[in-house]
Amino acid sequence: MKHLLSTADLSKDDALLLLDTSAQMAATQSREIKKLPTLRGRTVVNLFYEDSTRTRISFETAAKRLSADVINFSAKGSSVSKGESLKDTALTLHAMGADAVVVRHWASGAPAQLAHAGWLDAAVLNAGDGTHMHPTQALLDAFTIRRHLVGLRGGGADRDGVGSDLAGLKVAIVGDVLHSRVARANVRLLHTLGAQVTLVSPPTLLPVGVEAWPCRTSYDLDATLADWQPDAVMMLRVQRERMSGGSGAFFPSPLEYTRYFGLDGRRLALLPEHAIVLHPGPMNRGLEISAEAADSDRAVIVEQVANGVAVRMAALYLLLAHTEAAHTEGTSL
Amino acid sequence: MSTGTGMPGTPEGTTVLGASDVARALTRIAHEIVERAKGAQDVVLLGIPTRGVTLAVRLAERLAAIDPAFDPARDVGELDVTMYRDDLRRQPTRAVGVTRLPEAGIEGKTVVLVDDVLYSGRTIRAALDAIGDLGRPRAVRLAALVDRGHRELPIRPDFVGKNLPTATSESVRVRLAEVDGEDAVVISGRAADAPGAAERGEATR
């Protein structure tokens, strides 16, 4: 692995290595001294063309916990607002000696372009591109699901479910699939890890070509929860900022959306006893998720944020700890 | 790993310690640990994966037999030093292992690090850094089954199973029943073991 661009490129072994490494990273985060010297002297650039609070802070925390230097570069108030192209920005970062670039971009495919165009030789981590992919979010979702439904529920000595995949688990992903890179990233990763996925969404918010994805689809949330009995429900944010013409363009009214696709206390009661509720954040309380559901003890939404740091530490460690030359040199200790 | 003549029963290389030698060395180390710490009540054993952990478990049984104040279930842990190594950039990515400390922590305890082969000392340096992030033990000691020399840092072991003078071209492997199916310490890569040079009976140095 040189870059982390898409969950579709991850083999099952890669994905499990990332999740298992995340478990070890998570273990270090409960210590008094959380900082590790592992990436000392490395520079990680957070290149954010789109507003983001939690992903940027999560990556920044992860890099700092591994002792890397972090440079934050947001498009607002930078040379980008003066019209600099992605290429010129990349060349600048290369000249500054960045070892890794964490990129969030409004255009799908921008991280892949950055990784393969030869502008810079740093490792590229996709922190969300357009409506394409958000691999670290999917990894932290899978990590959280594995921890709760394989590790804790298995009752074994290993609370994180290290080494296990998600075979046999059922995950419902509910809401605005059309605009959601989180849904796309999760469908691929959960499929690779052996889980079954059902997308639940109004017809207008399912993308064209969804039949080709490795998952089922449904327009009926109540039926899916009651009949399919998912082990985990992932609520997606209704992305009003991506809906030109306001929310009315995709569904008649926010209230109707809530009635049909919002998770509330009644729908929560339809789920099996062990089922958990995930949300990638930020939540629209009262729209896709009610306060009752968001604050219930089934919701693992806050834990997802903590796991996000561990997953991003694992990704940075696996991409950055070695240099490319190491694969050929091979020194012994 | 070169193929060559070895003593009967080993796949390759020369066996320098057999199962009974390993057992005796561990028993002696256990006694030395108790003697040095004047009892075993505050002793914590931390094994360095993979084989250091196995050795720590075996040492723990012996410590408990000598001093009942030592509880093998309570006072043994493992310490993964991967993220503290100074050679990460020169090697393919290593998987991060498990660090598991005793329930009571290491604060104020006498920590005995346990490793199989002591060589450059860099692993121990990494372990000392890792311990520094986990707490402040009263003392840190080092037990190694084999000391093969060639230190690159000012680090010395407190308890050694066997001093084994080697050349840097040789490789020393500790094989343990729990991991490898047998107990032995094997040296390979000696001149006589080099591919093509080895004939049965040709002397090792």
Side-chain angles (χ1 to χ4, degrees), chain A residues 167-314:
Chain A
L169 292 178
K170 293 185 282 191
V171 182
I173 300 179
V174 186
D176 180 1
V177 176
L178 179 63
H179 300 102
S180 179
R181 52 194 171 215
V182 176
R184 284 168 179 78
N186 262 302
V187 165
R188 298 292 178 175
L189 182 66
L190 293 173
H191 175 73
T192 303
L193 291 171
Q196 299 173 49
V197 179
T198 297
L199 299 172
V200 187
S201 170
T204 51
L205 286 173
L206 276 178
V208 173
V210 73
E211 320 76 61
W213 296 8
C215 62
R216 307 183 335 153
T217 57
S218 163
Y219 302 144
D220 189 338
L221 180 57
D222 281 322
T224 305
L225 298 185
D227 304 337
W228 197 54
Q229 292 281 294
D231 302 293
V233 181
M234 189 182 301
M235 303 307 297
L236 300 172
R237 185 170 64 91
V238 176
Q239 303 194 36
R240 288 176 165 179
E241 77 276 13
R242 290 188 210 280
M243 297 181 186
S244 51
S247 55
F250 289 93
F251 45 81
S253 76
L255 187 61
E256 184 179 318
Y257 181 87
T258 307
R259 287 272 166 80
Y260 282 104
F261 296 100
L263 187 70
D264 54 15
R266 180 184 64 79
R267 292 202 165 107
L268 209 55
L270 297 175
L271 288 168
E273 195 68 23
H274 62 267
I276 57 170
V277 176
L278 299 101
H279 193 298
M283 288 185 279
N284 294 312
R285 280 180 187 244
L287 183 53
E288 72 267 3
I289 189 164
S290 75
E292 188 185 356
D295 298 332
S296 82
D297 49 10
R298 305 267 194 96
V300 294
I301 297 163
V302 178
E303 192 194 315
Q304 283 175 274
V305 178
N307 291 341
V309 175
V311 163
R312 286 166 183 128
M313 286 174 76

Side-chain angles (χ1 to χ4, degrees), chain A residues 17 21 24-25 28 31 33 35-38 40 42 66 317-318 321-323 326-327 329-333, chain B residues 82-99 119-120 122-123 130 132-134 152:
Chain A
L17 177 63
T21 307
Q24 305 310 336
M25 295 294 178
T28 68
R31 296 180 191 164
I33 299 177
K35 203 168 174 106
L36 298 159
T38 316
R40 219 174 39 180
R42 301 307 194 91
L66 290 170
Y317 169 74
L318 292 173
H322 63 89
T323 49
H327 292 297
E329 248 175 48
T331 41
S332 63
L333 189 71
Chain B
T82 309
M83 288 188 283
Y84 293 86
R85 300 192 78 96
D86 59 5
D87 60 342
L88 285 171
R89 296 176 74 153
R90 301 205 277 136
Q91 304 230 344
T93 311
R94 292 163 177 259
V96 180
V98 177
T99 292
Y119 185 18
S120 66
R122 287 178 191 268
T123 303
D133 281 358
L134 292 167
E152 294 165 6

Side-chain angles (χ1 to χ4, degrees), chain B residues 19 23 28 37 73-74 82 84 114 117 144 147 153 158 162 164 166-167 173 177 188 194 197 203:
Chain B
R28 178 172 53 74
R74 185 191 62 201
T82 309
Y84 293 86
V114 184
V117 180
D147 180 358
L153 295 168
D158 299 278
K162 170 95 175 155
L164 214 55
T166 55
R173 280 172 309 135
S188 54

Side-chain angles (χ1 to χ4, degrees), chain B:
Chain B
M1 216 39 71
S2 63
T3 55
T5 55
M7 277 172 52
T10 61
E12 58 202 42
T14 311
T15 302
V16 286
L17 292 185
S20 56
D21 300 321
V22 171
R24 274 195 295 275
L26 287 175
T27 306
R28 178 172 53 74
I29 290 173
H31 279 282
E32 285 176 2
I33 290 172
V34 177
E35 186 184 5
R36 179 83 180 265
K38 300 189 173 65
Q41 61 277 9
D42 274 335
V43 171
V44 165
L45 298 181
L46 287 185
I48 298 175
T50 318
R51 289 174 184 75
V53 177
T54 313
L55 289 172
V57 170
R58 290 200 196 172
L59 272 176
E61 292 163 6
R62 289 167 164 85
L63 281 180
I66 299 164
D67 185 346
F70 186 89
D71 179 356
R74 185 191 62 201
D75 298 325
V76 181
E78 44 195 296
L79 182 69
D80 182 75
V81 303
T82 309
M83 288 188 283
Y84 293 86
R85 300 192 78 96
D86 59 5
D87 60 342
L88 285 171
R89 296 176 74 153
R90 301 205 277 136
Q91 304 230 344
T93 311
R94 292 163 177 259
V96 180
V98 177
T99 292
R100 190 175 49 76
L101 291 186
E103 211 54 34
I106 56 173
E107 205 72 27
K109 306 276 188 182
T110 298
V111 169
V112 180
L113 285 170
V114 184
D115 202 1
D116 53 354
V117 180
L118 181 60
Y119 185 18
S120 66
R122 287 178 191 268
T123 303
I124 304 304
R125 194 229 25 109
L128 291 173
D129 282 357
I131 286 178
D133 281 358
L134 292 167
R136 187 177 184 278
R138 198 174 62 74
V140 181
R141 315 236 183 267
L142 173 58
L145 183 60
V146 174
D147 180 358
R148 63 167 295 191
H150 305 288
R151 213 77 75 241
E152 294 165 6
L153 295 168
I155 281 169
R156 55 153 185 78
D158 299 278
F159 316 107
V160 185
K162 170 95 175 155
N163 281 302
L164 214 55
T166 55
T168 46
S169 59
E170 294 163 345
S171 97
V172 176
R173 280 172 309 135
V174 168
R175 298 169 58 82
L176 295 173
E178 294 87 333
V179 187
D180 312 289
E182 58 159 0
D183 279 0
V185 176
V186 182
I187 297 189
S188 54
R190 289 191 167 177
D193 289 333
E199 290 296 325
R200 184 165 291 279
E202 196 170 307
T204 52
R205 280 181 293 168

